């Protein structure tokens, strides 16, 4: 089957509410700085939101941010996630479609409201999140359109879904692999890894072709303080690992191959919200287009493990993919919010000689 989409992203459909705060305010709210805390009900979510002064309301959600980034590069993106039939749900739907992402979802009626995430940005540009999942937690197997999964080169799964939609994740993985497609997973958050380490590690070891994680997440996944050891553990499973290290750039592992890429320079770091999401967007956009293909024969690049049989991953130019991801991340951290403010395709054309 010919691919109709380059990337299908599946995740929690969330509207982000961004606010600049002090570290003292984060502590007073009892939130773990730099992580994501789940808020149990709408009343509690409203109480947290009322304690700060929001600056930006924008459609968000980790995988949705990635899908928008992929579309901004000019690649074909689709998204699956659940919203309610309410004002936030309509805002989310309008925003993601306007960004060029294919999104078809039957909104939830009569249940919880649409999900929202309060993103608290401290002076060091670190983001701390308090998330009310709401309708996004109601993503069921029936919401996964198998035809779209089969027609996407890569199905990209947001790790946050493991809290509420494990069955849907497994269903999407099986459908993608049955069609010979690549399955990618983002670990999403260190606290998520701590909550679900055993299940996520088994998933990565046996079902994930391409893993996105930051340094803290991958070290927590394999319970080590040594990044090199953690990255080697990923490679030994046959999974391609795209591992970010903040200002130190990124490392990509594929079997014995190891590619290090520096962070792309930016004039000022304003807000790190969405940096990992957009790194994944750039990586996936390059991977699924000719720009991310290596000139080397695919067979010479095949990883040691048997799990990754995809021609797409085997022939990928890992340096180009990671450098494109770093470029996208540099744009997103230069301003508030987790969606690009300029065309990433245009930015890539302007910066291609430096990648």
């Amino acid at each position: 089957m010919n691919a109709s989409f380059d990337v299908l992203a599946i995740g929690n459909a969330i509207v982000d509410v961004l606010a600049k705060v002090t570290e003292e305010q984060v502590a007073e709210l009892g939130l773990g700085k730099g992580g994501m805390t789940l808020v149990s009900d709408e009343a509690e979510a409203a109480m947290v939101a009322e304690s700060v002064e929001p600056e930006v309301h924008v459609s968000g959600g980790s995988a949705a941010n990635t899908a928008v980034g992929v579309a901004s590069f000019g690649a074909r993106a689709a998204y699956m996630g659940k919203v309610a039939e309410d004002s936030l749900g309509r805002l989310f739907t309008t925003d993601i479609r306007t960004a060029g992402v294919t999104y078809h979802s039957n909104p939830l009626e009569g249940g919880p409201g649409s999900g929202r995430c309060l993103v608290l940005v401290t002076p060091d540009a670190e983001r701390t999140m308090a998330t009310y999942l709401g309708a996004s937690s109601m993503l069921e197997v029936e919401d996964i359109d198998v035809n779209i999964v089969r027609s996407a080169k890569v199905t990209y799964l947001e790790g946050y879904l493991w809290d509420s939609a494990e069955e849907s994740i497994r269903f999407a993985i099986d459908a993608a692999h049955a069609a010979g497609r690549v399955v990618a997973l983002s670990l999403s958050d260190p606290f998520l890894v701590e909550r679900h380490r055993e299940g996520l590690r088994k998933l990565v070891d046996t079902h994930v072709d391409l893993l996105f994680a930051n340094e803290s997440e991958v070290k927590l996944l394999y319970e080590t303080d040594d990044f090199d050891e953690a990255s080697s553990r990923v490679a030994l499973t046959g999974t391609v690992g795209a591992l970010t290290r903040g200002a130190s750039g990124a490392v990509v592992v594929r079997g014995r191959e190891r590619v290090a890429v520096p962070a792309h320079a930016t004039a000022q770091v304003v807000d790190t919200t969405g940096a990992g999401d957009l790194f994944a967007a750039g990586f996936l956009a390059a991977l699924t287009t000719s720009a991310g293909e290596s000139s080397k024969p695919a067979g010479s690049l095949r990883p040691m493990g048997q799990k990754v049989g995809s021609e797409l991953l085997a022939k990928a130019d890992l340096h180009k993919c990671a450098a494109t991801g770093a470029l996208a991340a540099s744009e997103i951290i230069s301003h508030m919010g987790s969606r690009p403010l300029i065309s990433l395709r245009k930015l890539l054309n302007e910066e291609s000689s430096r990648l």
Side-chain angles (χ1 to χ4, degrees):
M1 178 190 293
N2 292 329
S4 301
F5 298 100
D6 295 306
V7 179
L8 163 64
I10 306 177
N12 289 321
I14 300 287
V15 174
D16 288 339
V17 181
L18 286 84
K20 290 182 178 178
V21 299
T22 64
E23 295 200 13
E24 289 74 20
Q25 285 176 289
V26 173
E28 288 171 4
L29 288 168
L31 302 174
K33 185 174 181 291
M36 190 278 286
T37 300
L38 289 175
V39 178
S40 59
D41 57 53
E42 282 189 89
E44 184 180 353
M47 180 186 70
V48 174
E50 289 170 1
S51 68
V52 298
E53 296 182 11
E55 291 192 18
V56 179
H57 288 74
V58 62
S59 296
S62 178
N65 294 337
T66 298
V68 169
V70 168
S72 186
F73 274 108
R76 301 164 300 171
Y79 177 74
M80 294 179 192
K82 198 75 170 178
V83 296
E85 183 55 74
D86 57 16
S87 60
L88 288 179
R90 289 187 287 274
L91 170 65
F92 181 92
T93 300
T94 298
D95 278 2
I96 198 166
R97 288 177 177 170
T98 300
V101 177
T102 297
Y103 176 59
H104 302 294
S105 172
N106 294 319
L108 182 68
E109 298 182 15
S114 294
R116 73 290 310 255
C117 177
L118 181 64
V119 182
L120 306 177
V121 183
T122 42
D124 60 358
E126 185 67 87
R127 85 283 185 273
T128 301
M129 297 174 288
T131 303
Y132 169 66
L133 293 175
S136 70
S137 67
M138 308 299 286
L139 184 71
E140 305 288 347
V141 168
E142 293 74 18
D143 295 309
I144 305 298
D145 188 327
V146 174
N147 290 327
I148 294 180
V149 175
R150 290 171 178 165
S151 66
K153 293 179 183 177
V154 177
T155 291
Y156 173 83
L157 299 162
E158 175 185 314
Y160 286 129
L161 283 174
W162 202 257
D163 277 319
S164 60
E166 179 182 339
E167 185 179 0
S168 299
I169 285 181
R170 293 189 182 280
F171 180 80
I173 288 173
D174 289 344
H177 278 161
R181 304 302 191 184
V182 170
V183 170
L185 173 73
S186 167
L187 288 184
S188 296
D189 185 272
F191 296 103
L192 177 89
V193 177
E194 289 185 323
R195 288 196 298 275
H196 303 291
R197 181 184 290 109
E198 184 176 349
L200 287 171
R201 188 157 65 192
K202 185 175 181 180
L203 190 73
V204 171
D205 289 353
T206 59
H207 289 86
V208 174
D209 305 309
L210 173 59
L211 176 69
F212 290 93
N214 65 30
E215 182 170 2
S216 295
E217 292 158 358
V218 74
K219 289 195 296 187
L220 281 169
L221 184 69
Y222 290 106
E223 298 180 275
T224 177
D225 293 326
D226 188 325
F227 174 77
D228 289 338
E229 179 184 344
S231 60
S232 295
R233 292 280 296 277
V234 174
L236 285 172
T237 70
T239 296
V240 175
L243 312 174
T244 56
R245 309 189 76 181
S248 297
V251 171
V252 188
V253 293
R254 178 175 53 187
R256 293 192 179 96
E257 189 176 3
R258 183 184 180 93
V259 175
V261 174
H264 196 86
T266 187
Q268 182 181 12
V269 178
V270 175
D271 171 21
T272 58
T273 305
D277 303 336
L278 269 293
F279 174 85
F283 191 104
L284 292 170
L287 173 69
T288 55
T289 64
S290 58
E293 292 184 5
S294 172
S295 59
K296 297 178 183 179
S300 68
L301 296 177
R302 195 168 301 280
M304 294 170 57
Q306 297 300 310
K307 179 170 52 173
V308 181
S310 168
E311 188 87 355
L312 188 65
L313 282 170
K315 67 182 181 181
D317 182 335
L318 298 184
H319 185 279
K320 182 70 173 181
C321 290
T324 306
L327 175 65
S330 74
E331 191 282 334
I332 213 68
I333 65 176
S334 68
H335 58 80
M336 288 284 285
S338 52
R339 300 283 172 88
L341 296 182
I342 61 175
S343 165
L344 294 179
R345 185 176 188 174
K346 180 180 178 181
L347 180 63
L348 179 60
N349 288 337
E350 294 172 350
E351 298 284 333
S352 59
S353 63
R354 297 173 56 191
L355 299 186

